[in-house]
Amino acid sequence: MATQRREMAPDALTAFMAFNRAVFADGALPVKTKELIAVAVAHVTQCPYCIRGHTAGALKQGATQQEIMEAIWVAAEMRAGAAYAHSALAIDEMNRRAASQEAHRDEHR
């Protein structure tokens, strides 16, 4: 498959690989930290290939099993926290509908 991807869009693949190298290069954040972030994001996006690849990358960069698991827990909290935060949209909609129904009832009294 890698050969097919390269044959079908070689310029895009070359650009993507350059982007990948630039993003995961040592910089303001060390590579280990970037790999831990990638492990967390991979769990949120639920990409099994990214989970495996970035877990291996984090281990290669010296991350401990505890650090990796902690990154995963951060991802889990962020995912759960987003569901909790977005409940405000459901509450707003419920309140809007209730107010609309009440106004409609008042019109017919």
Side-chain angles (χ1 to χ4, degrees), residues 1-97:
M1 272 192 236
T3 301
Q4 284 180 295
R5 280 190 280 239
R6 187 174 40 255
E7 289 171 354
M8 290 186 279
D11 293 343
L13 180 61
T14 298
F16 182 75
M17 295 309 291
F19 177 60
N20 178 272
R21 283 189 301 277
V23 167
F24 283 95
D26 224 4
L29 294 174
V31 176
K32 176 182 157 183
T33 301
K34 291 179 179 189
E35 287 292 353
L36 288 168
I37 291 168
V39 168
V41 171
H43 280 78
V44 172
T45 61
Q46 300 177 333
C47 174
Y49 304 105
C50 296
I51 290 169
R52 285 186 180 276
H54 289 291
T55 298
L59 290 167
K60 183 178 175 185
Q61 292 300 318
T64 65
Q65 292 180 357
Q66 292 77 15
E67 288 172 318
I68 292 168
M69 194 63 232
E70 198 166 304
I72 294 166
W73 278 115
V74 170
E77 190 285 333
M78 292 298 294
R79 185 114 176 157
Y84 172 75
H86 282 91
S87 70
L89 298 171
I91 292 167
D92 183 55
E93 183 63 18
M94 291 184 284
N95 291 340
R96 191 182 70 73
R97 294 278 178 117

